[in-house]
Amino acid sequence: MRKFLQRLFTKPVITLANRWSSRPNKMRVDKALSGLYQNVSKNPGKRGQIINFDAKKDRFIILSDQHKGARDGSDIFAKAAGNYLAALNYYNKEKFFYINLGDSEELWENTFLTVKKHNKKTFEAEQRFLDRGAFIKIFGNHDLYWDNDPLAIVNLAKIYDQPLKVYEGAILQTVVGKNKLAIYLTHGHQGDLQSDGNWFSKWFVSDIWAPFQAYLRINPNTPANNDTLKTDHNRIMYEWSSKRKNTILITGHTHQPVFRSLTELEILYEKQRMALGDDAIELQRRIDKLHLKTSRQPDFKGYLDSYFNSGCCCFDDGDITGIEIADECIRLIKWEYHSKKSVRMVLEEAYLKDLKLNWSE
């Protein structure tokens, strides 16, 4: 019966989830992002940290949206847990600084004690970064508990064996050539009417969606090879970032990887515009494979490289995506299973100095 209902409901449920899971309001998004940026800049340590770094030496890994749950039918992190642990072991060994961009714990569907009980190894892996002083934890809408519950500070200490302040954002600052560069990080739910403090959404997810998802075992997060153009929320985030001087914005929340302001499908279209011969044919084949139906080639001329999205760590095939900043570069990376082993792949890469931004000396 479950398999029959899966075949019947999976496609319409995913379609509805994609349609209604986000209701961004441009004015609210702009106001929230600008307000938080100003707050972190003027009052570092209160709502967020400022970290000055050397782009030649320092290394960061940015991951978001694990949605750690109870290892039951509604736990969309369960398949990706192995890749997540392998990634953290690699980055800790390589001395990366880990920035967790929020929705790390699924606390709309589960209690804190349930998540803690079923995710001991992942918390231990995160703690190793904290022990080195190389860990920032940012809250999202699904783990807003870390920001607004008076017991959160006590429970965080139980998880990590030491106090930990959870922030709403962070700003990394460095110098690229003759220019200062600010890398602004936050979860990205700000201004989303479905997520930004919306009690109805929380009730619907915990009391209606979670039991339904648990029974049917549906994960609405399609593989990291994204087959769509930017969501409205990512488009609004891009529009905000494109107006800032010497700034790039990195968020999570939408579960849609974005690199240099483009999704993978959009990147393929851009490459196809410049390609000739066999290269153009191969790119069209890849576009057709993602798209299912070939649509008219969109035009991204004039886009700046100001917006990035880490994707998520809960794709339904077990893949995880993230953003690396290292070796004077920024990279979109993916960890996936190959013969039961977790393998790191670089999907896209660019030197920070080559980014098209509103640079001003």
Side-chain angles (χ1 to χ4, degrees):
M1 176 60 73
R2 180 185 285 118
K3 289 184 178 180
F4 169 75
L5 292 174
Q6 282 176 337
R7 290 194 297 271
L8 186 65
F9 286 111
T10 294
K11 187 174 181 178
V13 163
I14 290 177
T15 300
L16 287 172
N18 290 336
R19 182 176 179 183
W20 297 108
S21 62
S22 179
R23 289 178 55 210
N25 177 282
K26 181 173 172 53
M27 290 183 62
R28 285 170 60 96
V29 171
D30 288 353
K31 182 178 180 181
L33 289 176
S34 297
L36 177 61
Y37 188 90
Q38 290 298 318
N39 194 317
V40 175
S41 299
K42 294 179 179 179
N43 304 289
K46 187 175 182 181
R47 298 299 290 175
Q49 287 193 33
I50 294 178
I51 299 177
N52 294 301
F53 75 100
D54 185 336
K56 294 180 180 179
K57 298 178 181 179
D58 298 320
R59 299 193 281 182
F60 298 86
I61 175 60
I62 300 154
L63 301 170
S64 73
D65 295 271
Q66 290 80 40
H67 291 272
K68 300 174 200 164
R71 295 297 193 273
D72 57 12
S74 64
D75 186 352
I76 58 177
F77 174 66
K79 286 185 179 179
N83 276 326
Y84 183 67
L85 283 171
L88 292 195
N89 289 336
Y90 168 84
Y91 291 119
N92 185 57
K93 182 179 179 181
E94 296 297 320
K95 306 302 181 187
F96 276 68
F97 192 111
Y98 178 24
I99 299 176
N100 186 307
L101 268 192
D103 280 5
S104 182
E105 289 74 46
E106 180 46 78
L107 297 176
W108 282 16
E109 296 180 14
N110 307 284
T111 66
F112 156 74
L113 290 176
T114 298
V115 175
K116 178 176 180 288
K117 175 182 177 182
H118 292 281
N119 292 275
K120 183 178 180 181
K121 289 183 179 180
T122 62
F123 288 128
E124 289 174 347
E126 292 167 358
Q127 183 182 337
R128 287 192 278 273
F129 290 88
L130 183 59
D131 291 341
R132 292 194 290 110
F135 183 50
I136 289 180
K137 187 175 178 67
I138 291 172
F139 65 82
N141 50 306
H142 282 254
D143 54 8
L144 190 64
Y145 167 85
W146 301 126
D147 181 61
N148 64 13
D149 194 289
L151 292 178
I153 190 169
V154 175
N155 289 328
L156 283 165
K158 290 180 180 178
I159 289 176
Y160 296 112
D161 293 330
Q162 57 192 291
L164 174 66
K165 182 175 176 59
V166 180
Y167 295 101
E168 188 175 357
I171 300 174
L172 308 181
Q173 297 181 152
T174 191
V175 175
V176 177
K178 297 181 179 180
N179 297 303
K180 293 181 180 178
L181 174 65
I183 301 173
Y184 176 29
L185 303 112
T186 188
H187 179 64
H189 65 286
Q190 296 89 345
D192 186 340
L193 297 175
Q194 293 287 69
S195 303
D196 197 0
N198 190 324
W199 66 267
F200 178 81
S201 292
K202 184 176 179 178
W203 168 79
F204 181 82
V205 169
S206 61
D207 291 1
I208 306 298
W209 168 250
F212 182 74
Q213 182 186 23
Y215 177 72
L216 293 185
R217 297 172 185 171
I218 294 175
N219 184 345
N221 299 295
T222 53
N225 295 324
N226 195 277
D227 63 352
T228 60
L229 307 182
K230 278 187 295 299
T231 62
D232 285 344
H233 202 108
N234 278 330
R235 178 180 52 77
I236 292 172
M237 292 283 174
Y238 163 74
E239 291 172 356
W240 181 90
S241 67
S242 67
K243 298 172 185 176
R244 309 291 300 192
K245 295 288 187 180
N246 296 35
T247 302
I248 65 175
L249 170 66
I250 303 176
T251 71
H253 182 58
T254 67
H255 297 194
Q256 182 181 48
V258 175
F259 187 80
R260 298 177 82 165
S261 305
L262 303 177
T263 66
E264 182 186 6
L265 180 60
E266 292 169 342
I267 289 170
L268 290 176
Y269 274 128
E270 276 296 275
K271 290 179 178 178
Q272 186 192 45
R273 237 174 18 100
M274 308 298 292
L276 298 171
D278 291 343
D279 289 340
I281 294 171
E282 172 60 18
L283 286 167
Q284 185 62 56
R285 186 193 67 79
R286 292 173 63 186
I287 288 170
D288 291 344
K289 183 178 179 181
L290 286 177
H291 237 323
L292 301 182
K293 293 182 179 180
T294 304
S295 64
R296 196 176 76 179
Q297 185 185 80
D299 185 1
F300 301 107
K301 286 186 292 187
Y303 262 56
L304 297 176
D305 301 333
S306 57
Y307 178 58
F308 297 76
N309 192 298
S310 56
C312 73
C313 295
C314 56
F315 289 109
D316 65 357
D317 55 0
D319 289 357
I320 70 172
T321 58
I323 299 289
E324 291 179 5
I325 300 171
D327 312 313
E328 301 182 89
C329 293
I330 185 166
R331 304 182 183 106
L332 175 64
I333 55 90
K334 176 169 72 171
W335 287 76
E336 63 181 23
Y337 298 118
H338 284 267
S339 301
K340 298 183 179 180
K341 291 185 178 181
S342 297
V343 177
R344 169 184 170 272
M345 301 176 61
V346 177
L347 300 180
E348 300 292 337
E349 179 179 39
Y351 281 103
L352 294 173
K353 66 180 177 61
D354 292 336
L355 296 179
K356 294 185 297 180
L357 302 175
N358 280 323
W359 290 113
S360 63
E361 296 186 10

